[in-house]
Amino acid sequence: MALVSAKDMLEKARAGKYAVGQFNINNLEWTKSILLTAQELNSPVILGVSEGAGKYMTGFKTVAAMVSAMIDELKITVPVALHLDHGTYEGCYKCIEAGFSSIMFDGSHFPIEENIAKTKELVEVCNKKGLSLEAEVGAIGGEEDGVVGKGECADPDECKKIADLGVTMLAAGIGNIHGKYPADWAGLSFETLAAVNEKVGEMPLVLHGGTGIPTDMIKKAISLGVAKINVNTECQLSFQEATRKYIEDGKDLVGKGFDPRKLLAPGCQAIRDTVKEKMEIFGSIGKA
Ligand code: 13P
């Protein structure tokens, strides 16, 4: 099955009161682990690629070619969207050209008028090509691949202005943060989320910073219109922990334990376990 736009899967999720996970990829192992888990659980899935990860993987064309070939060779039949995460204006055009099926333009650091103008232009380009487009209002806190946000809550009226441009999905800052949440985190602002949801009608909302958000908050966010949840750091942490254990247990020193296919296997299994756990919480299992 070819890559698909995220539009259909997110509209179904919003209507069915569950969320589709966006899991960020870093390399072949990450991609394979996430795709196999989605297929096993019959869940739609979104593969997120930050600009930094795209560069690491040698460029967006390599990523698009790898993901498309993998879907074919692994016989993946669940819907898969390949999505640019926190794209710059230039990055969006590069990914459109490279064959991504979904784009995020993060204009949250621009003055709202500039965010609107650039998002509007990208809505037209993406519509023509049948790609989904995510926009952002109100920066997400923390740091991801050099993109730093203060974590401000979005203004619901600004959200409406951006939603009215015809974007597919909207990320609104609601006190969420990329990476681990600090011990003194105040939690998600459901007041902001409810106000945004009220303004944007049936627009699927996106919750960034999915790592470490307690299950009850996730469920409440879904009940208030969140249909896409982004997870990145949690897969990195589970991969790290499993890989560390393999080496600390000395398994790389036994026989051919140094073979990268063996060395990376526990980390890959840990990613699969994390993705499964998230899909269970998000409610996307069996919804492909
Ligand atoms: P985490 O790394 O906190 O899971 O956030 C991921 C994300 O929001 C990607 O855009």
Side-chain angles (χ1 to χ4, degrees), residues 178-248:
H178 287 129
K180 292 183 189 172
Y181 283 87
D184 61 351
W185 177 50
L188 296 177
S189 168
F190 291 111
E191 203 186 316
T192 307
L193 181 58
V196 171
N197 190 33
E198 169 99 29
K199 291 270 179 190
V200 301
E202 293 303 300
M203 167 85 34
L205 298 173
V206 183
L207 181 60
H208 282 247
T211 296
I213 299 181
T215 302
D216 58 329
M217 286 195 203
I218 295 276
K219 301 227 181 234
K220 186 154 185 202
I222 292 173
S223 78
L224 290 168
V226 165
K228 172 175 178 277
I229 303 176
N230 294 4
V231 177
N232 184 13
T233 308
E234 204 152 328
C235 289
Q236 299 182 353
L237 292 170
S238 49
F239 178 86
Q240 174 213 22
E241 193 186 333
T243 308
R244 170 183 287 274
K245 184 166 190 317
Y246 181 86
I247 293 175
E248 282 184 350

Side-chain angles (χ1 to χ4, degrees), residues 11-85:
E11 284 176 358
K12 276 190 202 148
R14 161 117 207 183
K17 294 236 180 282
Y18 60 93
V20 178
Q22 172 192 308
F23 299 95
N24 284 45
I25 59 171
N26 292 285
N27 55 24
L28 181 144
E29 282 75 15
W30 240 259
T31 313
K32 180 178 167 187
S33 304
I34 297 164
L35 286 177
L36 287 174
T37 309
Q39 182 68 24
E40 179 197 326
L41 302 176
N42 199 31
S43 168
V45 72
I46 298 170
L47 300 177
V49 181
S50 67
E51 296 207 357
K55 196 168 164 196
Y56 174 79
M57 288 184 271
T58 77
F60 296 127
K61 283 187 201 158
T62 307
V63 178
M66 173 181 76
V67 172
S68 293
M70 219 183 255
I71 288 173
D72 184 31
E73 305 229 60
L74 291 175
K75 301 189 171 43
I76 303 293
T77 55
V78 297
V80 180
L82 178 60
H83 181 75
L84 171 64
D85 190 24

